Amino acid sequence: MNFTMKEFFHDHPNLRYLYFGGKGGVGKTVVAGATALWFSRQGKKTLLASTNPVHSLSNLLEQNVFGKPVAVKGAPNLYASEIDTSETIQRSKNDIKDKIAWFLKFADIPTKAEDFVESATMNPAFEESAMFENMINIIFEDEYEVYIFDTAPTANARRLLGMSKVYALWVNKMYKSREEARQMRLSLSFRKKKPEDERDPLLDYLITFRDRIEKMRGLLTDQEKTAFFFVTLLESLPIAVIKRFIGWFKDFGIPIGGVIVNEVIDKSEIDENTAEFIRNRIAMQERYREEITRSFDNFCGEAPLFEKEVKGLPMVERVADALFV
């Protein structure tokens, strides 16, 4: 390893927003949960939140944490929440409906907002957009010292976190167009109202939204406060996913914390009686560990393959103990 998780957090004492991603099935939830538990043990009020539509936190913690932050039993300072995707999407649809209604009324267009809502929400990225909005709400409420997000598989996380840049571009363009339209409307009007006297609810919204997105972008790209960790197995496909996406995250300015390997077989357990299947798996893992060491300069943690499934707080504690040596 290039450094340990403990060394990384020691060198970045102001980190508050941590994201864990990777290919599906590599153990993102387990590693995110173990890291959240470690922070809570340091006395920091920590929120572990899932933005993955296919949530696993309740199963990991053996406690229902769906829909809102819940104190994790047996872990002081630790709270967990699986974001309710359907509720988030419905609330976003209602917001869009209100904004379209504002626009139609302002533009004197006699059409119902509902006619536009479905087409506006059919975009494949709408769910990520709604989840991003929810994530911003959680962060801006500022109730916790550390926020740890268990994200969807990397392609979804890429769209989710990339929303900040896309939104900023879109909002700035919309704001400019809206301002030009307002000025044109006033110049063609016979009324002698000053531009500042003509209230435009949609323009007001765009200004507020732009400020909100720019604030979020500032947090997402803040090297001192934010870090994204990739979780992988010692296998070809999940490593390939990291190679493919790590540059993209850097291009968006999202700070990379490091690469964490999960489910490593303990070599010290093998002897002459160990099955050939296990020996082959260990040899394979050694090859891919060398590849990770060569390919990434921020290999920062290893969690072992345990004798049983990681489920329940005692098992999460064992993962935390292994990661934060």
Side-chain angles (χ1 to χ4, degrees), residues 1 78 137 143 150 169 193 220 263 285 323:
M1 283 189 288
L78 181 58
N137 288 338
E143 292 186 13
D150 170 28
L169 293 171
K193 271 189 171 182
L220 269 178
E263 297 187 358
Q285 289 198 340
L323 282 176

Side-chain angles (χ1 to χ4, degrees), residues 161-297:
L161 299 181
M163 282 290 172
S164 62
K165 189 168 185 177
V166 175
Y167 269 1
L169 293 171
W170 177 78
V171 169
N172 284 334
K173 189 172 182 179
M174 284 292 294
Y175 174 78
K176 184 179 178 183
S177 300
R178 192 66 184 169
E179 181 61 26
E180 289 173 354
R182 189 171 78 113
Q183 292 298 337
M184 179 69 74
R185 175 188 169 97
L186 290 170
S187 66
L188 294 176
S189 172
F190 293 106
R191 293 178 296 173
K192 298 300 182 187
K193 271 189 171 182
K194 296 178 182 177
E196 56 269 29
D197 295 333
E198 187 79 359
R199 185 173 178 274
D200 180 346
L202 189 57
L203 192 60
D204 293 344
Y205 164 75
L206 287 172
I207 293 171
T208 303
F209 190 63
R210 182 187 61 185
D211 294 345
R212 182 176 156 86
I213 293 300
E214 286 181 352
K215 181 179 176 183
M216 187 61 197
R217 277 196 69 201
L219 291 179
L220 269 178
T221 56
D222 189 329
Q223 300 275 345
E224 293 299 314
K225 294 182 177 177
T226 297
F228 191 98
F229 291 89
F230 287 95
V231 181
T232 185
L233 302 178
L234 290 172
E235 295 177 4
S236 174
L237 288 179
I239 294 172
V241 166
I242 298 177
K243 288 181 178 177
R244 181 179 176 189
F245 286 104
I246 198 168
W248 185 93
F249 279 78
K250 289 179 179 174
D251 290 343
F252 268 71
I254 298 170
I256 305 298
V259 175
I260 300 164
V261 173
N262 191 28
E263 297 187 358
V264 179
I265 301 172
D266 185 356
K267 288 190 296 184
S268 67
E269 297 290 331
I270 63 171
D271 55 30
E272 66 276 9
N273 298 318
T274 302
E276 184 179 0
F277 167 76
I278 302 297
R279 290 175 178 274
N280 289 340
R281 296 293 295 188
I282 290 174
M284 180 195 76
Q285 289 198 340
E286 283 298 303
R287 288 199 306 275
Y288 285 121
R289 181 190 279 106
E290 290 172 7
E291 181 177 343
I292 286 177
T293 304
R294 282 197 312 271
S295 303
F296 308 109
D297 59 6

